[in-house]
Amino acid sequence: MIETQSTSRVVVTTPPSDMETSELVHRVHEIGPLLRQNAHIGDHDRILPKATVEALESADVWRISTLRRYGGYEGGASMLLKVATAIGYYDPAAAWCVVISNGSVMLANRFGDDLLDEVFANGPIKAASIFAQPQGTATPDGEGWRITGKWPFASNSNHSDWALGILFIKDGLQDENAPPQVGFVLMRRDEFEIQDTWFTIGMRGSGSNTMVTENLWVPKNRVITFEQLMGSDPERDQHATFGRRLTPHLTMSTTIQSPSLGAAYAALDFTSSVADKRSITYTHYKKQNESGAFVQNLGAASIKIDGAKLLLERAAAEIDAAASGIVPLPLEQRARHRAGIGHAGHELVAAANDLCWLHGTAAFAENSVLGRLWRDINTGTRHASITAPMGYELHGNGITGTPYISTKL
């Protein structure tokens, strides 16, 4: 990592070292037993327990994406992927919140330096964001904007200090026949309310409720356009710090698959750990691991998970390499990675299903650890930005030269 000073602000040109990442992963494993113990509480209460949030704080994982200048690691896709996978091994919902928080900070890093100085005045923050369909409006009001919006599925919003919401900008300057301009607003936690709307069968502890604000006034610098936040101009800026050059959507898509990856490894270890204690009903097998079919299919499930891991690591490595320079990843390469990310999720679901077949009907008991992991994996991999069908089609667009079905690459 190389650091320089620019108007008293640290500029970083490369991602954190492997040693720093390994240290964070080690810290996660140290608090792992507590995370695992509290996972069922979060699942029941539909929010992370306070002890889990504090343990993650002690392990420093909330500040992965915060810029170095504000006391963070300024980590890239690889650091977040590896750390969140380790967290997901113990509690997938906790890993989801860590990914969303750090991903939201990564998005906030695209705002102006003066605003970031204010947001991070007291050091690293926890954050939330919604960057899918616009769910609000920003209307000019004096030296600022009036914001009204309702943003569902805002993971980690209960624990956030700041949050981003996607909206339509009504500036009155554009052609009335032109499509409305899309942008983002950055809001403090005391500027929006949370509606309790997150009722699901999986990733329940993520507390992905609905953020709501009405007639909120914010200064001008708290609203930026879609292109400013999600565009590739910062990726070409030789003076930009590493954390600002990370390509936003692909980084988020890659790392958001990590909670399910960690959960799949936990499901594999759980299933194999009890295989010498459980028999196979309606057979002569006293132990599951005496069955050649069980052993073979356990091995197959393991390789599916490993394959998913390799696809995600490939994407993360190329994201970080691009952010270390000033040449954005080509669209066809991004589309290939989106397909790989989606395929990784497809394989994780398949592996989880296989493990439940191997373990038996007990996996679907209400208090089953394997059942909860299965629910979290099946829920997490269905996130709109990482679903396999869309990823495959995007990659097919790149192969055939047909128009991309999405501009969010």
Side-chain angles (χ1 to χ4, degrees), residues 24-282:
L24 279 182
V25 170
H26 175 71
R27 292 180 188 178
V28 169
H29 289 310
E30 286 185 327
I31 64 170
L34 184 146
L35 299 180
R36 177 179 285 146
Q37 177 183 330
N38 289 340
H40 76 280
I41 300 174
D43 183 72
H44 178 272
D45 294 346
R46 297 181 299 109
I47 186 173
L48 295 186
K50 181 180 179 181
T52 293
V53 177
E54 291 175 345
L56 294 168
E57 189 86 48
S58 72
D60 273 350
V61 300
W62 293 112
R63 63 187 185 98
I64 288 174
S65 292
T66 300
L67 300 180
R68 287 271 178 178
R69 65 180 69 156
Y70 302 120
Y73 287 94
E74 197 155 344
S78 293
M79 173 179 264
L80 186 53
L81 174 70
K82 291 175 183 178
V83 173
T85 297
I87 298 169
Y89 183 83
Y90 301 103
D91 183 354
W96 190 274
C97 286
V98 168
V99 167
I100 294 300
S101 180
N102 281 287
S104 301
V105 168
M106 176 194 65
L107 298 178
N109 289 339
R110 291 276 177 107
F111 280 77
D113 285 329
D114 290 343
L115 178 58
L116 295 186
D117 289 345
E118 174 191 339
V119 171
F120 296 95
N122 297 316
I125 63 169
K126 293 187 283 293
S129 62
I130 293 297
F131 62 97
Q133 297 298 322
Q135 302 282 338
T137 57
T139 305
D141 184 357
E143 295 301 312
W145 304 89
R146 286 288 172 183
I147 309 296
T148 294
K150 191 172 186 177
W151 297 276
F153 315 130
S155 304
N156 195 54
S157 52
N158 288 285
H159 312 294
S160 63
D161 303 302
W162 290 79
L164 294 95
I166 188 170
L167 42 64
F168 290 116
I169 300 175
K170 297 184 175 181
D171 59 13
L173 300 177
Q174 62 196 60
D175 185 339
E176 61 181 19
N177 296 318
Q181 190 173 28
V182 177
F184 295 85
V185 60
L186 188 57
M187 304 173 289
R188 285 195 316 269
R189 176 61 190 87
D190 60 355
E191 295 176 333
F192 62 89
E193 297 180 355
I194 296 176
Q195 291 182 353
D196 188 13
T197 57
W198 185 242
F199 297 93
T200 61
I201 66 166
M203 288 293 179
R204 290 164 54 86
S206 68
S208 304
N209 290 300
T210 300
M211 303 187 302
V212 180
T213 194
E214 186 172 354
N215 202 34
L216 167 70
W217 188 89
V218 299
K220 281 287 186 184
N221 63 354
R222 296 261 217 97
V223 172
I224 63 174
T225 67
F226 182 92
E227 185 60 29
Q228 287 174 311
L229 190 139
M230 302 293 282
S232 58
D233 282 353
E235 298 165 38
R236 299 184 177 90
D237 185 353
Q238 62 179 331
H239 302 295
T241 192
F242 172 82
R244 187 168 276 165
R245 289 204 299 251
L246 286 165
T247 181
H249 198 274
L250 187 59
T251 302
M252 189 73 93
S253 297
T254 301
T255 56
I256 209 171
Q257 202 70 280
S258 53
S260 296
L261 177 61
Y265 277 119
L268 174 68
D269 286 352
F270 174 83
T271 303
S272 60
S273 70
V274 298
D276 63 346
K277 303 177 181 66
R278 292 175 55 79
S279 62
I280 300 179
T281 306
Y282 299 127

Side-chain angles (χ1 to χ4, degrees), residues 283-365:
T283 74
H284 297 299
Y285 291 118
K286 302 295 183 184
K287 299 178 180 179
Q288 291 176 329
N289 59 12
E290 293 174 346
S291 163
F294 178 95
V295 171
Q296 180 186 40
N297 284 289
L298 188 70
S302 176
I303 292 302
K304 287 177 182 177
I305 300 170
D306 282 351
K309 177 174 178 282
L310 290 171
L311 285 168
L312 296 174
E313 288 179 340
R314 180 185 71 171
E318 292 199 9
I319 290 168
D320 287 354
S324 299
I326 55 172
V327 180
L329 286 170
L331 287 182
E332 60 270 20
Q333 198 167 338
R334 296 171 190 244
R336 175 182 287 274
H337 286 312
R338 289 291 297 280
I341 294 161
H343 188 70
H346 191 277
E347 291 295 273
L348 294 174
V349 167
N353 288 340
D354 291 345
L355 293 170
C356 287
W357 282 113
L358 292 172
H359 183 71
T361 312
F364 296 97

